DNA sequence: ATCGGACTGGACTGTTGAGTCCAGGCTTGT
DNA sequence: ACAAGCCTGGACTCAACAGTCCAGTCCGAT
């Protein structure tokens, strides 16, 4: 990374990334040009290239990293608690509500499918996110097992994969159909083994 | 649609769509220009606009429709059989193998996430596909119930949603991580209620 | 055979958008 | 105070690419 970054510079850089992320989220990566970002963040072309010498590609990688961080940040409090009865339901509700608010706009699928294939760097960021996310869920499952709230025979890693896939798949289907049930139903089914509370 | 289409014309049009679909699948929609399609299909600019007067957008809609048809075509034989013991496993294996071969390239997620947000016409195509797919799976679940191979209390529609979400989510995660286990495991878990055979 | 219309080739236009450049303003350490 | 160098503005270049245009060729019906 570039060293020598004053407080002002860091703030500007941050403003650019946040603004660009917002645009990418709502419009899709290929619908966002440097001029759009420039306008939305009250910056100039030279600033964009000052902070991201490799241009658009580097900026989008920063956006991906930013969005990946946000995904975990949003869920952090819930993920840490996962285990005891009720915590899974609370987390589920938070996830559902989040995507309901965002509507069509998913920071991840936008980046994965749009830029992932073309940019290995972004794929790595997404893969890291998924791995971390997966680990947190698996940890929660083990805690549930420790408290006798889930079958000891349950394989934490595999169950975590199912839960995570239910979310990813549910979001994809929700984006295409506009129906949030396609997220709720699979997610409820996936967590049924650790939180036997059906949500209608 | 354009009327008056001779056999030759129809063949050319078909060649364009198939060639464009191939490119979109492998490179991603935003990485495919009309000139690429022109070169790959041995056609000229004027032919593209002759068959798709609305240009790139119309051509991509045709590609989306084509790909959606392919997804169902590939699975048609398996979907029709779903119900009896062993049919779910066979279908699962076909799906897994298909995506293993395709690797990163999923015709659907490419179109949904890349073009869906910008083009409502494409979202409709994808939504229709998902609905049809969902219905076929639900039908299979009801047949399994009819033969006493699945719990009568199982809600076919909801279970079908879970299975479909497992596929969609599994594919997304596989694309990001390159690990096909993220498709196999959730899908096996999702069909466990109708085909209690674990695949490792 | 010949006329209308489907079909094709390829040059041309106009725009969009990434990346460059340089001149000047502002911060920071000494 | 005063350099060194971080920071900013905005005009400029250049390539890529969607879409246009027209001069044709080929096919089918009469």
């Amino acid at each position: 990374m570039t060293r020598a970054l004053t407080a002002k510079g860091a703030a500007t850089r941050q403003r650019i990334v946040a603004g660009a992320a917002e645009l990418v989220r709502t419009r899709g990566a290929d619908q966002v040009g440097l001029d759009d970002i420039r306008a939305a963040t009250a910056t100039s072309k030279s600033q964009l290239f000052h902070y991201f010498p490799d241009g658009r590609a580097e900026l989008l990688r920063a956006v991906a990293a930013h969005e990946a961080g946000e995904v975990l940040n949003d869920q952090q409090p819930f993920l840490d608690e996962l285990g005891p009865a009720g915590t899974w339901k609370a987390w589920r509700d938070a996830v559902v509500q989040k995507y309901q608010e965002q509507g069509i706009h998913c920071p991840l699928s936008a980046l994965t499918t749009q830029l992932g294939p073309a940019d290995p760097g972004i794929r790595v960021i997404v893969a890291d996110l998924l791995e971390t996310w997966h680990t947190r869920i698996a940890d929660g499952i083990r805690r549930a097992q420790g408290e006798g709230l889930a079958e000891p025979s349950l394989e934490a890693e595999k169950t975590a994969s199912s839960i995570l896939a239910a979310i990813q798949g549910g979001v994809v289907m929700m984006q295409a159909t506009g129906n949030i049930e396609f997220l709720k139903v699979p997610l409820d089914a996936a967590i049924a083994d650790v939180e036997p509370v059906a949500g209608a």
Side-chain angles (χ1 to χ4, degrees), chain A residues 45-66:
Chain A
K45 249 335 180 14
S46 55
Q47 290 182 68
L48 297 184
F49 282 86
H50 178 71
Y51 294 106
F52 306 95
D54 282 350
R56 191 182 138 91
E58 185 181 356
L59 173 48
L60 286 177
R61 274 194 295 273
V63 167
H66 175 266

Side-chain angles (χ1 to χ4, degrees), chain A residues 67-83 87 90-92 94-95 98 129 131-137 139-140 143:
Chain A
E67 293 292 86
E70 284 297 298
V71 169
L72 284 180
N73 271 348
D74 285 341
Q75 301 177 47
Q76 192 72 291
F78 296 97
L79 290 175
D80 287 342
E81 299 298 327
L82 284 184
T87 54
W91 172 59
R92 183 216 96 128
V95 169
K98 182 78 186 176
L129 165 62
E131 190 191 321
T132 304
W133 201 349
H134 181 265
T135 302
R136 295 282 165 84
I137 296 172
D139 286 345
R143 281 194 294 269

Side-chain angles (χ1 to χ4, degrees), chain A residues 122-190:
Chain A
I122 288 193
R123 247 198 348 253
V124 169
I125 292 171
V126 176
D128 281 352
L129 165 62
L130 288 177
E131 190 191 321
T132 304
W133 201 349
H134 181 265
T135 302
R136 295 282 165 84
I137 296 172
D139 286 345
I141 293 171
R142 285 188 211 98
R143 281 194 294 269
Q145 289 174 321
E147 301 194 16
L149 295 166
E151 286 292 328
S153 65
L154 209 61
E155 295 180 75
E157 303 296 329
K158 290 194 175 186
T159 306
S161 293
S162 292
I163 294 173
L164 199 43
I167 295 178
Q168 304 305 319
V171 169
V172 167
M173 293 175 67
M174 186 199 84
Q175 287 181 305
T177 63
N179 185 352
I180 193 134
E181 289 301 312
F182 282 125
L183 170 58
K184 286 183 183 173
V185 169
L187 182 48
D188 281 336

Side-chain angles (χ1 to χ4, degrees), chain A residues 7-18:
Chain A
K8 188 182 178 187
T12 302
R13 195 195 130 102
Q14 169 58 23
R15 195 173 77 241
I16 293 171
V17 172

